Amino acid sequence: MVILNLHSLEKKELQLLVAMIILVPLAGEIKFYPFNEVYRVSFGPPTLFIFLLWLRKVPAVICGVLAGLSIVTFRVLLDLISLTSVDWMASIHTNSPYFFYYFTYALVFSVLRIHRFYNRPWVIGLLGIVIELAAGIVELLAENIMIGTVMTLDAFNKIMIIAIFRSFFVIGLFSMIKLHESKLREAEIQKRNEHMIMLVSNLYEESVLLKKSVQDAEEITRQSYNLYQKLQEIRKGKKRLSLEELSRHALRIAGEVHEIKKDNQRILSGLSKVISEESSLDYLDVRSLLSIIVRTHEKYAELLGKNIEFSIAYNGSHPEYHVYTFISIVNNLVANAVEAIKGTGSIEIAVERENDWLQIRVHDDGPGIPDQYKDIIFKPGFTLKFDSTGNSSTGIGLSYVKELAEKLNGEVKFEHQEDSKGATFIVRLPIGNLTQKR
């Protein structure tokens, strides 16, 4: 049984339905008589046809019933207004065949599933002839039963001619609508392209600053590690340096950090024009955070010429976590995994809630970490990674993750499994230190 729920319709669909009820009867009054005063060609059926194409969420049969009732009601009202002595029951009886015409029209439209051919106007035109013929024959039968009109072969031929004429009219009207839609889409695409050009232009400008900032950060990292080594040697009595020399070294690092800060402020200022406020929230749900991390490292893996498959999983009910803290921890672990994998591999990121604790697990199927190094991997400067020129990495990433986790009253550990390939790192953090304070 076909039921129409008005509450389920969108405002636009409801407006179209009301417009159909009003416009189909009015279009039906725009008519001419090509043969005689009996056989008329009106524009009501083509109008209904267009509305049936538009009203995708409303069953076509319902549209046919509403259109048929509105036609009969409108014609009866015209009879009552134009004729001084008219029996309204007789008027309903005379105009009832119109209802059967429009009802059949919509029913056959539904049976043929015309919506399938929305992008093929000529098919719609040919099927429109079938619809017109079926509706015209039903109208003749209704007139024969209710009014006593005689059905003849000549009448059938005239219905065929009218059906072909109105079908071509529908093709023309429908093609005009499609052309209008095409122009609107073209204008929208052009607008989007212009926006993308401006966006890419702005991002290119910021990428130049970002590249400089990355190079400066790499240099500062090396200098900071050199300072750390010097301090360690002084502590062990292997080297003697004056406080003035150490102060100059620290001041030089501070100055370069300040330069990076200014560059990043300019980058942030530029990006703020193209990033919505919603994307710059300090707290996000775990799904969004993991998606950001995966997208970032997919591009990083591609840049390194590696084919890496990422998978994510999260269990339990999670609040929104602090964006920068969460990403800082996981980014370092995932970046290490990407760099460790030689060419092709996979990385799994799993997030689980255990009461008031958050557990983050990052596993890769790379070469792993030899047993002799498992006790020193979190020490600053330890690394097993070397670039194509033989230069080692700074070895700061894991020590930074450990320091940050401990600062949040959590922990990070390396999990070694004899029968498992690769490396697994597990971070446990108190959820209260990652969420927004109320």
Side-chain angles (χ1 to χ4, degrees), residues 35-36 39 41 153-164:
F35 307 114
N36 51 47
Y39 297 101
V41 178
L153 182 60
D154 180 62
F156 180 80
N157 290 335
K158 288 175 180 177
I159 289 175
M160 172 67 81
I161 295 171
I162 292 172
I164 294 172

Side-chain angles (χ1 to χ4, degrees), residues 144-203:
N144 178 263
I145 295 170
M146 304 180 73
I147 305 175
T149 303
V150 179
M151 296 180 60
T152 63
L153 182 60
D154 180 62
F156 180 80
N157 290 335
K158 288 175 180 177
I159 289 175
M160 172 67 81
I161 295 171
I162 292 172
I164 294 172
F165 171 82
R166 274 204 289 231
S167 182
F168 276 102
F169 176 80
V170 166
I171 291 176
L173 183 60
F174 183 67
S175 297
M176 289 174 62
I177 293 172
K178 291 284 290 180
L179 179 62
H180 179 66
E181 290 178 350
S182 172
K183 288 184 177 179
L184 289 178
R185 281 196 300 270
E186 184 181 347
E188 181 65 23
I189 291 172
Q190 183 177 355
K191 183 178 178 181
R192 289 180 182 177
N193 288 342
E194 291 174 356
H195 175 72
M196 287 300 297
I197 290 171
M198 292 300 297
L199 181 64
V200 170
S201 176
N202 290 334
L203 290 177

Side-chain angles (χ1 to χ4, degrees), residues 17 38 40 57 139 144 200 224-225 248 268 281 311:
L17 192 62
V38 177
R40 69 195 174 282
K57 295 184 179 180
E139 183 183 18
N144 178 263
V200 170
S224 298
Y225 181 61
R248 285 200 303 270
L268 180 61
L281 293 174
S311 63

Side-chain angles (χ1 to χ4, degrees), residues 220-230 380-381 394 396:
I220 290 172
T221 303
R222 293 185 184 278
Q223 289 187 27
S224 298
Y225 181 61
N226 289 337
L227 179 60
Y228 166 81
Q229 286 183 316
K230 290 178 181 178
T394 59
I396 300 296

Side-chain angles (χ1 to χ4, degrees), residues 188-343:
E188 181 65 23
I189 291 172
Q190 183 177 355
K191 183 178 178 181
R192 289 180 182 177
N193 288 342
E194 291 174 356
H195 175 72
M196 287 300 297
I197 290 171
M198 292 300 297
L199 181 64
V200 170
S201 176
N202 290 334
L203 290 177
Y204 178 77
E205 293 175 7
E206 308 314 325
S207 70
V208 174
L209 280 176
L210 185 59
K211 186 176 181 180
K212 175 181 178 295
S213 181
V214 169
Q215 292 172 344
D216 291 344
E218 183 68 23
E219 179 60 28
I220 290 172
T221 303
R222 293 185 184 278
Q223 289 187 27
S224 298
Y225 181 61
N226 289 337
L227 179 60
Y228 166 81
Q229 286 183 316
K230 290 178 181 178
L231 291 173
Q232 288 292 95
E233 290 175 353
I234 293 172
R235 184 176 65 83
K236 295 176 181 178
K238 295 180 179 180
K239 180 179 287 190
R240 297 182 63 84
L241 291 174
S242 67
L243 289 177
E244 184 178 353
E245 185 177 351
L246 292 174
S247 298
R248 285 200 303 270
H249 197 156
L251 183 62
R252 187 163 57 252
I253 292 174
E256 292 185 5
V257 169
H258 181 67
E259 183 65 23
I260 289 179
K261 177 187 174 183
K262 290 192 296 181
D263 286 341
N264 287 342
Q265 284 177 333
R266 288 193 289 267
I267 293 169
L268 180 61
S269 175
L271 292 179
S272 64
K273 298 176 183 178
V274 294
I275 300 176
S276 63
E277 292 181 1
E278 288 77 8
S279 62
S280 60
L281 293 174
D282 289 338
Y283 295 86
L284 282 176
D285 62 276
V286 68
R287 180 178 179 180
S288 299
L289 289 168
L290 292 176
S291 297
I292 292 170
I293 292 168
V294 167
R295 286 199 301 269
T296 302
H297 287 88
E298 283 176 340
K299 294 175 182 177
Y300 184 41
E302 185 179 350
L303 178 67
L304 297 178
K306 300 181 179 182
N307 182 19
I308 299 178
E309 181 180 346
F310 293 84
S311 63
I312 59 175
Y314 44 92
N315 297 319
S317 175
H318 293 269
E320 293 186 338
Y321 295 121
H322 189 258
V323 172
Y324 309 113
T325 304
F326 187 97
I327 290 182
S328 292
I329 291 174
V330 182
N331 256 2
N332 274 283
L333 297 177
V334 178
N336 282 345
V338 170
E339 293 164 357
I341 292 173
K342 298 303 182 184

Side-chain angles (χ1 to χ4, degrees), residues 18 21 30 37 54 59 68 93 105 111 115 134 162 169 175 185 200 235 240 363-364 368 386 390 401 408 410 423 434:
V18 173
I21 294 172
I30 304 173
E37 292 185 358
W54 281 340
H93 186 76
Y105 194 100
V111 170
H115 283 123
I162 292 172
F169 176 80
S175 297
R185 281 196 300 270
V200 170
R235 184 176 65 83
R240 297 182 63 84
H363 171 76
D364 67 77
F386 297 86
V401 171
L408 295 168
L434 290 171

